Amino acid sequence: MEIIINAYKTALNVLGRAKITEGGYRLIKYCVVLKVEEGVLLFHTLTRELLLLTPEEYENHLESSYLRERWFVVPKDTKEKEYADLVRWVCKNAKKKPQHITKYTILTTTDCNARCFYCYEKGYKKYPMSEETADKTAAFIKENCGGEKVHISWFGGEPLYNSKVIDRICRQMQTAGVKYQSSMVSNGYLFDDEMIEKALNIWNLKSVQITLDGTEEIYNRSKAFIYRDGSAYKKVLSNIERLLDAKISVVIRMNMDLKNAEDLLKLTEELAKRFQENRKPIVYAHLIFDDEKSWTEIYSKEELTKLYRVLTRLEEKFETYGFSKESKKGLRRYLKLNHCMADSGGAVVITPDGHLGLCEHFAESELIGHINFPERDQGMIENWKQWRDEQAECAACFYYPECVRLKKCTGYGDCTDLEREKIRKRTQRSMKNELYYWKIRQSRSE
């Protein structure tokens, strides 16, 4: 038996000494199993421990004293959800609350040079951030970061549609001695050599997320850019290469529904050919749906099955071509206790007119204050921390210990068997990659 990742000590301490029983044992529901060439991997989603067993050890795993002590193997009558709830409650209450705001999502404008049919900002007032508001934003960051390093995510609309305020905010933070780095969500169209130079030297830009919705014809139709000079698809792909050549990471998001699902498989092949000799982007696919409805209200069971079948094929291709984010991030070493910036306690959204929010998807509502005033809507802040009601399936779900779903979040629908299977496969890919890097470390130490 080999320990690939050590257990999260806090979780083990809360669980305490494992019970001894004469009533028989079983694997805990929070154990993910993956057979590999080297043996069998076991990952505990509550304690975060990853083990490699020989086939013989796995065959006799119920007899292993180590697996019993480490809560991989538990008495048959164990109600693991009660233990998971206790561990999460203790860890959440023991976690130190952020004292300062160190993460900022700044909307430089709500306007955009594309006209995506699925844009959630349809109907929003279109306006840019003024230079005056940019100055006050820089001052707000300095006053609230507590001298800590700041991360800024530039957002829109299309953030590059008003890049001058990015310049202005960054220069003022440099003058004020605020340490910062930034990322961006962009359609990628407006990047050129001059802008990438500023991204490196002024914005301290580390990564950009760019959406590709299909191969050339489908992409150009779905994005519907306001320009008519050549193919936007070709321009954006060239700009992705510019960014990668400048050593700025690129995350390609593929928004998918039934209409473009199969075409995204073709797009993945095109990306593989284009970037096989270059630094590679991270690529992931995301199902899009109406914010007001769940997946099960939009798609029939047969349609959902088809979507997830294509999604599985896509993720397998991402892994094969080295695009998968799981292969780069691996498994978390600690227990997840919050969903995103909205419930983190140390992050805010700043709209073009200086209002403060907690989620970039709510730039005109659910606001908590303004950069000009110290008052904050504490009720709204607490509302964003509320978790969704549990489903009946949660009691037996392997992913329950690390699943955090917010009531207000519009980023997903109801959890389904297909969704859980997708998460299991992603977890198994991460397990496999952790083993790969562990073997490299072992060979270097010999």
Side-chain angles (χ1 to χ4, degrees), residues 4 38 431-441:
I4 310 301
E38 297 81 358
M431 291 163 61
K432 197 172 181 179
N433 288 318
E434 291 286 1
L435 175 62
Y436 171 78
Y437 289 114
W438 177 82
K439 288 169 64 178
I440 290 176
R441 293 193 298 270

Side-chain angles (χ1 to χ4, degrees), residues 80-244:
E80 44 260 87
K81 185 175 177 298
E82 294 179 2
Y83 288 100
D85 288 339
L86 176 62
V87 170
R88 296 214 290 184
W89 183 84
V90 171
C91 291
K92 195 170 185 179
N93 282 277
K95 185 180 179 181
K96 291 183 179 179
K97 296 180 180 179
Q99 299 299 306
H100 308 289
I101 303 173
T102 56
K103 295 182 180 179
Y104 299 82
T105 298
I106 300 176
L107 280 69
T108 67
T109 180
T110 53
D111 204 355
C112 185
N113 53 348
R115 299 291 183 267
C116 304
F117 70 90
Y118 53 76
C119 182
Y120 69 88
E121 293 184 2
K122 280 184 179 178
Y124 278 26
K125 174 186 174 184
K126 308 299 182 186
Y127 66 108
M129 178 178 283
S130 67
E131 292 185 357
E132 179 184 3
T133 302
D135 294 344
K136 290 180 178 179
T137 295
F140 179 85
I141 293 172
K142 181 185 176 183
E143 291 169 6
N144 288 275
C145 71
E148 298 180 41
K149 187 174 182 178
V150 166
H151 182 274
I152 298 173
S153 175
W154 306 107
F155 202 79
E158 168 52 47
L160 295 181
Y161 224 39
N162 190 20
S163 64
K164 65 182 180 181
V165 300
I166 302 179
D167 298 343
R168 195 173 185 95
I169 292 169
C170 289
R171 290 191 186 282
Q172 292 193 29
M173 288 197 296
Q174 287 177 345
T175 301
V178 176
K179 295 180 181 179
Y180 67 94
Q181 66 181 41
S182 71
S183 61
M184 182 180 292
V185 177
S186 167
N187 57 47
Y189 189 95
L190 294 174
F191 277 109
D192 55 25
D193 290 338
E194 180 182 354
M195 197 165 287
I196 289 177
E197 187 71 22
K198 289 195 295 184
L200 292 170
N201 299 319
I202 303 175
W203 307 347
N204 200 12
L205 189 68
K206 300 300 181 183
S207 67
V208 183
Q209 177 177 292
I210 295 174
T211 298
L212 295 179
D213 296 329
T215 53
E216 187 170 8
E217 181 180 352
I218 289 179
Y219 173 86
N220 287 339
R221 187 170 64 243
S222 66
K223 279 297 178 189
F225 280 98
I226 61 175
Y227 316 109
R228 293 293 179 267
D229 51 343
S231 170
Y233 176 79
K234 291 179 179 177
K235 183 176 180 66
V236 171
L237 280 181
S238 294
N239 288 343
I240 288 173
E241 282 191 305
R242 290 175 192 260
L243 289 163
L244 291 172

Side-chain angles (χ1 to χ4, degrees), residues 422-438:
K422 177 191 73 175
I423 295 172
R424 183 184 293 275
K425 288 179 179 177
R426 287 179 178 175
T427 302
Q428 289 175 330
R429 283 195 294 273
S430 294
M431 291 163 61
K432 197 172 181 179
N433 288 318
E434 291 286 1
L435 175 62
Y436 171 78
Y437 289 114
W438 177 82

